[in-house]
Amino acid sequence: MQMYDSPTIYAHVEREASKNIEENERECFKDAIVSSRSLNKGFTETTTIRNAIPEIAACIIAATFHISVGFSMAYSAILIPHLEAADAELHATQEETSWIASVVVVCTPVGALMGGFLMEILGRLRTLQIGVIPCVAGWILIALSTNIPMLLVGRLLTGLSTALATSPAIVYITEVARPELRGSMISFGPTLASFGMVLSYVKGAYIHWRLVAWISIIYAVVPIILVELFVPESPVWLVSKGRTEDAKKSLEWLYKYEPKQGKVSAAEAQLTTIMKEKEIKLNEQRKSKHGGLSTKMRAFLKPTGWKPMTILFLFFFFQQFSGIYITLFYAVTWFQEVGAGVNEYLASILVGVTRFLCSMVNTWLLRRFRRRPLCIVSSLGMAACMTVSGYFTLLIRDGDRSGYWVPVLCLLLYVCTSMVGMLTIPWTMTAELFPTEIRGIAHSISYSIANMLMFAALQSYRSLQSFLGGSYAVQWFFAGISLGAVVFVWLLLPETHGKKLSEIEEYFQNNFLAVGAKSEARKQRARRRNKRKGPTALTQPLNPSHSKTMQNV
């Protein structure tokens, strides 16, 4: 048996322990930076409403432009019926109206890339304000339109603004809100977008579409005025630009109601934390510079790159072609073509109100339940609603109007069930599925893919009606896609609720199918435990008197 002297053993164990500690600290720092969890910690144990009032106010004001986003999305629903009417002052064909509905998402990827570029140069809030400019120009063009190309350009500009102004708002909220408030504040944006849809449907029911366009300018301009007057710039961005004094002033405004921790104010503690994390980020960037763009591109060929990208593509495909956004963009037209005989504008208002109320419940669902069950329940509910609605739509077409109210009820339930998972969860997974090295660019790519699929789905609505033979068949098509989504989620969608980013990355190293992933994970853990036991036995101290020292190491 080979003998080892004690100093050699101690040196070996100390090196291993030191190496493990360094690796753990590096991973902790990395996770903290990615999740932004450390930007608002350390200065108070509990959050009170009074302490957080400045943060909440800043986040809500930054998110108010989402109302205009909701307006842009729902506006096609109230505009298209007027353009397709026989006595329309500005007549459009069905092909032209499909472009009017879908063109708003074409520029979204471009707006997102422009927003990301401008955010780093000009700041979060200044980019948000610049993003309002194309929105105002677009609404003016729509209101003054004398032909269809003017309408299309107007819709294109409002779509560009949708991403250009909302991305900075989400980044700002992420950097400003403390951890226990961050999820609620981020979800406030989509809730305000749903509220904007309700406003658009309500105004469209009672006001001419040109006047609605003029009124929409108010919802775009007021947020930039409020931001200019009341909201300080993100201290994280200010520190990244070396503007430490401005960052301190911003933090003093955000945490002016926070009590001091000893002699140090909350603002000073936060400034120290942010500056430390800036230094860590710079060190990480310096280490990764040698790889450059080619390293990032190669990362997409790894299992942690192509697997999540493939899953997200399929996820968004099922989301878009299950009809979720088609029914929102064509709400009024949908009720007309179903033939239920109800006031289609009032019915569309009900759809908007339902979506708005469900968006508030959705935040609670995402915090409490796992992603896979939510998506399966959501897809099954959507399939059931569209199946029943299609059947009664067929009866109405054949002259039986006894169940004329059923398609309206089914669409409302369809909106509710879509909000449970399929409408919201794909967007939340665009960042968390990818490893740190490509998360930024992968998020942009998957976001662009989602919008291209949305454009294709909106464009296909009229063609699907002609090809399948009517509104009832389109609804059954949506039901079929929703059932396909159930199979997809069961087979491929990984569970990310409560998982660390490192755990998600490890999942893709070893799995692609979600079926059986748990048993494979147990095997991996068992193999790691066995692997750890081997070196431990080799480095066991031979002198019993040193056991306490070794345990401390």
Side-chain angles (χ1 to χ4, degrees):
M1 178 179 177
Q2 187 176 359
M3 302 295 293
Y4 296 89
D5 63 300
S6 294
T8 303
I9 296 173
Y10 297 152
H12 173 70
V13 174
E14 285 177 0
R15 282 197 301 271
E16 290 297 318
S18 177
K19 181 180 176 182
N20 290 335
I21 291 170
E22 288 176 2
E23 288 179 354
N24 288 335
E25 287 180 347
R26 188 161 56 249
E27 288 300 317
C28 288
F29 280 136
K30 191 183 296 182
D31 283 348
I33 291 168
V34 170
S35 64
S36 298
R37 274 176 283 187
S38 63
L39 297 182
N40 302 87
K41 70 181 182 183
F43 53 85
T44 184
E45 291 296 326
T46 58
T47 297
T48 64
I49 295 298
R50 183 182 182 277
N51 291 352
I53 282 175
E55 287 173 71
I56 295 172
C59 292
I60 290 176
I61 291 173
T64 49
F65 184 76
H66 281 77
I67 297 176
S68 186
V69 173
F71 241 101
S72 297
M73 293 178 68
Y75 186 71
S76 62
I78 66 171
L79 174 64
I80 289 173
H82 291 289
L83 298 179
E84 292 182 345
D87 57 346
E89 59 173 299
L90 185 59
H91 184 72
T93 64
Q94 287 193 349
E95 183 181 353
E96 289 171 334
T97 54
S98 69
W99 275 98
I100 289 170
S102 59
V103 76
V104 74
V105 300
V106 170
C107 279
T108 303
V110 178
L113 292 173
M114 288 176 59
F117 177 72
L118 292 174
M119 266 191 283
E120 296 305 316
I121 298 175
L122 303 176
R124 299 4 179 172
L125 299 183
R126 191 63 65 198
T127 303
L128 191 156
Q129 292 170 319
I130 291 173
V132 172
I133 296 172
C135 184
V136 172
W139 285 120
I140 292 173
L141 267 178
I142 292 170
L144 298 176
S145 292
T146 56
N147 52 57
I148 299 303
M150 286 182 70
L151 275 176
L152 288 171
V153 174
R155 290 282 288 167
L156 201 68
L157 289 172
T158 56
L160 175 68
S161 180
T162 295
L164 190 57
T166 54
S167 295
I170 297 300
V171 172
Y172 180 84
I173 292 170
T174 302
E175 293 177 343
V176 166
R178 63 189 70 194
E180 56 267 39
L181 295 176
R182 186 173 295 119
S184 301
M185 291 294 99
I186 290 176
S187 66
F188 204 77
T191 301
L192 287 178
S194 299
F195 180 63
M197 288 183 176
V198 175
L199 291 176
S200 185
Y201 291 141
V202 170
K203 287 177 170 58
Y206 302 103
I207 303 174
H208 192 273
W209 61 270
R210 291 188 188 273
L211 183 55
V212 174
W214 286 116
I215 293 173
S216 301
I217 297 174
I218 298 172
Y219 297 101
V221 172
V222 169
I224 65 171
I225 296 174
L226 294 175
V227 164
E228 184 65 31
L229 293 177
F230 301 110
V231 182
E233 181 55 87
S234 164
V236 176
W237 178 79
L238 291 170
V239 168
S240 72
K241 297 300 177 183
R243 295 166 57 179
T244 308
E245 285 301 316
D246 291 335
K248 185 177 180 182
K249 291 177 183 177
S250 176
L251 289 165
E252 286 172 350
W253 188 92
L254 291 167
Y255 303 132
K256 57 186 172 184
Y257 296 132
E258 287 289 346
K260 283 189 174 183
Q261 298 294 313
K263 296 182 180 180
V264 180
S265 67
E268 291 171 336
Q270 280 298 96
L271 184 62
T272 302
T273 301
I274 295 172
M275 291 181 70
K276 181 180 179 182
E277 291 180 347
K278 177 196 172 185
E279 183 181 348
I280 295 169
K281 279 186 178 181
L282 290 174
N283 289 334
E284 290 285 333
Q285 289 172 2
R286 278 194 289 268
K287 290 177 182 178
S288 62
K289 269 185 181 178
H290 67 277
L293 183 62
S294 61
T295 301
K296 290 186 179 292
M297 292 301 101
R298 283 196 297 271
F300 279 99
L301 301 177
K302 296 178 182 178
T304 53
W306 69 264
K307 287 181 181 179
M309 187 63 73
T310 303
I311 288 171
L312 280 174
F313 173 82
L314 293 171
F315 204 4
F316 278 114
F317 173 84
F318 286 109
Q319 180 204 57
Q320 296 301 332
F321 285 92
S322 63
I324 292 175
Y325 284 96
I326 292 174
T327 54
L328 294 176
F329 278 72
Y330 288 96
V332 176
T333 305
W334 192 90
F335 285 113
Q336 286 178 338
E337 292 170 345
V338 163
V342 299
N343 185 306
E344 56 269 17
Y345 286 96
L346 292 178
S348 67
I349 292 171
L350 283 176
V351 169
V353 171
T354 302
R355 189 180 189 278
F356 173 61
L357 295 176
C358 290
S359 66
M360 292 187 286
V361 177
N362 178 254
T363 302
W364 176 78
L365 290 174
L366 289 177
R367 291 181 61 184
R368 188 174 180 84
F369 298 101
R370 291 179 296 160
R371 306 287 195 258
R372 281 167 55 83
L374 285 176
C375 287
I376 289 174
V377 170
S378 177
S379 299
L380 287 173
M382 290 162 59
C385 291
M386 283 292 104
T387 300
V388 175
S389 180
Y391 173 72
F392 279 89
T393 300
L394 179 60
L395 293 180
I396 292 170
R397 193 198 69 167
D398 293 340
D400 182 0
R401 298 190 55 81
S402 58
Y404 72 93
W405 51 271
V406 175
V408 178
L409 176 63
C410 283
L411 184 63
L412 296 178
L413 292 175
Y414 170 84
V415 171
C416 287
T417 52
S418 71
M419 290 297 294
V420 169
M422 285 301 292
L423 180 64
T424 53
I425 288 177
W427 301 105
T428 66
M429 299 181 100
T430 54
E432 64 182 357
L433 290 188
F434 295 101
T436 306
E437 57 183 329
I438 58 169
R439 183 169 289 119
I441 187 171
H443 170 73
S444 298
I445 293 172
S446 57
Y447 183 77
S448 300
I449 288 172
N451 280 277
M452 290 299 99
L453 288 170
M454 187 189 298
F455 171 76
L458 294 172
Q459 272 284 2
S460 69
Y461 177 61
R462 298 296 194 184
S463 301
L464 281 173
Q465 282 187 317
S466 301
F467 178 74
L468 297 175
S471 182
Y472 74 93
V474 173
Q475 292 172 61
W476 286 343
F477 173 80
F478 292 160
I481 295 294
S482 298
L483 289 176
V486 174
V487 177
F488 158 76
V489 171
W490 180 69
L491 283 176
L492 290 176
L493 190 69
E495 183 56 67
T496 60
H497 179 67
K499 297 287 182 68
K500 296 178 183 178
L501 297 174
S502 56
E503 290 175 333
I504 297 172
E505 185 174 347
E506 183 183 1
Y507 168 87
F508 284 116
Q509 289 282 9
N510 304 306
N511 303 281
F512 185 51
L513 292 177
V515 178
K518 285 186 177 180
S519 60
E520 180 62 27
R522 283 194 293 268
K523 291 178 183 177
Q524 291 287 338
R525 286 195 294 269
R527 280 196 288 267
R528 283 197 298 269
R529 281 196 301 269
N530 293 334
K531 190 175 180 181
R532 283 196 296 268
K533 286 178 182 178
T536 303
L538 287 175
T539 55
Q540 190 68 27
L542 301 178
N543 189 344
S545 64
H546 293 153
S547 60
K548 186 176 180 181
T549 305
M550 294 296 292
Q551 288 171 1
N552 290 336
V553 173

